[in-house]
Amino acid sequence: MIKFTIITLFQEALEPYLKTSMMWKAVDKGLAEFDFVNLREFGLGPHRSVDDTPYGGGDGMLMRCEPVFNAIESVKAKDPDVKVIIPTPAGETWDQKMAQKLAETGTDKNAHYIIFCPHYEGYDERILSICDYKVSLGKYVLTGGELPALIIIDSVVRLIPGVLGGEQSAAIESFSDGDNIEYPQYTKPYDFRGMTVPDILLSGNHGEIKKWREEHSKKAK
Ligand code: ADE
């Protein structure tokens, strides 16, 4: 079982996705659990402020240390083993291998991760000292960590055995290891607007079909 505790100001942006399709099925089957900590509850002063202006000047606001540390520590107080992930463009680029590593920690045992979602123009650098994994989704900048959090969760949870159909997932993973993208697939009809299905797939020859699929697994760019 893998549990994700998401620290965010925007729970409402995340919840619908996690209550849909495979993520919801994973929860239903007891293979995943998601919960939220509202960062605002750890905000400072009457306005429950979580950000402030940068030392040295510059545009925008930065997330302050105190609310973030307090929110993370409130989770750690209940589970000292929890690991903290921060999505940041300055992190290590997320890939299938990293997703597999995390999924393994939640396969046949219990794993718990916090994902802290930064927002606004950035965060105080000292926040990184309480984070175990710094994860970038790629070389572009998003407005916050919510979309990366969903991508990280989705890519990990689908790898927990039992979330996808067992047989199907094994087949996908043997070809889709992050470098080799899945082979082309087809369903009915055989002929759609003159585009037909490769006949080998209708041949019933499993050896030849396997060979064809291996040959047609595309390399990720
Ligand atoms: N936050 C903003 N942009 C990001 C990115 N590319 N990856 C992870 N977190 C981010």
Side-chain angles (χ1 to χ4, degrees):
M1 208 277 288
I2 195 156
K3 178 173 175 181
F4 288 96
T5 298
I6 306 160
I7 301 179
T8 176
L9 293 167
F10 301 102
Q11 177 171 340
E12 69 280 7
L14 294 154
E15 244 170 351
Y17 189 80
L18 297 176
K19 287 193 169 163
T20 307
S21 185
M22 303 315 293
M23 296 304 107
W24 183 243
K25 275 198 189 145
V27 172
D28 205 40
K29 289 180 179 172
L31 298 169
E33 190 182 329
F34 310 122
D35 67 0
F36 295 92
V37 170
N38 182 358
L39 188 64
R40 190 64 66 194
E41 284 174 15
F42 295 85
L44 306 173
H47 298 297
R48 299 220 164 274
S49 171
V50 297
D51 58 349
D52 213 325
T53 52
Y55 278 115
D59 283 341
M61 303 288 274
L62 302 181
M63 299 198 95
R64 292 176 62 118
C65 286
E66 305 93 314
V68 177
F69 274 71
N70 289 339
I72 291 173
E73 283 162 358
S74 76
V75 181
K76 286 196 172 204
K78 288 176 241 153
D79 180 1
D81 293 331
V82 67
K83 296 276 181 256
V84 184
I85 301 171
I86 180 170
T88 166
E92 193 179 341
T93 307
W94 184 250
D95 63 12
Q96 190 68 9
K97 281 199 189 81
M98 292 161 84
Q100 257 152 5
K101 260 196 195 156
L102 252 63
E104 272 163 29
T105 66
T107 301
D108 303 326
K109 33 190 191 274
N110 292 332
H112 186 190
Y113 296 93
I114 292 172
I115 305 185
F116 159 61
C117 301
H119 222 84
Y120 306 117
E121 252 65 34
Y123 50 82
D124 188 304
E125 189 71 12
R126 291 168 288 187
I127 289 171
L128 294 180
S129 70
I130 200 172
C131 298
D132 301 288
Y133 302 95
K134 299 145 192 105
V135 171
S136 167
L137 262 292
K139 292 186 177 168
Y140 47 82
V141 180
L142 299 161
T143 55
E146 284 75 16
L147 286 173
L150 288 179
I151 291 170
I152 292 165
I153 290 170
D154 187 294
S155 59
V156 171
V157 168
R158 66 181 287 284
L159 295 176
I160 305 276
V163 173
L164 306 180
E167 186 203 330
Q168 187 205 4
S169 63
I172 292 170
E173 296 327 324
S174 67
F175 288 100
S176 180
D177 59 10
D179 290 327
N180 286 322
I181 304 299
E182 246 176 287
Y183 45 79
Q185 301 200 78
Y186 303 86
T187 183
K188 294 177 190 65
Y190 171 74
D191 184 334
F192 178 70
R193 299 185 181 174
M195 295 179 280
T196 55
V197 176
D199 286 315
I200 186 84
L201 300 178
L202 287 79
S203 68
N205 184 333
H206 296 296
E208 285 300 310
I209 291 173
K210 187 165 180 280
K211 207 169 120 205
W212 184 91
R213 286 180 167 167
E214 278 165 6
E215 283 166 7
H216 288 77
S217 299
K218 294 178 214 118
K219 276 260 169 240
K221 290 207 182 89

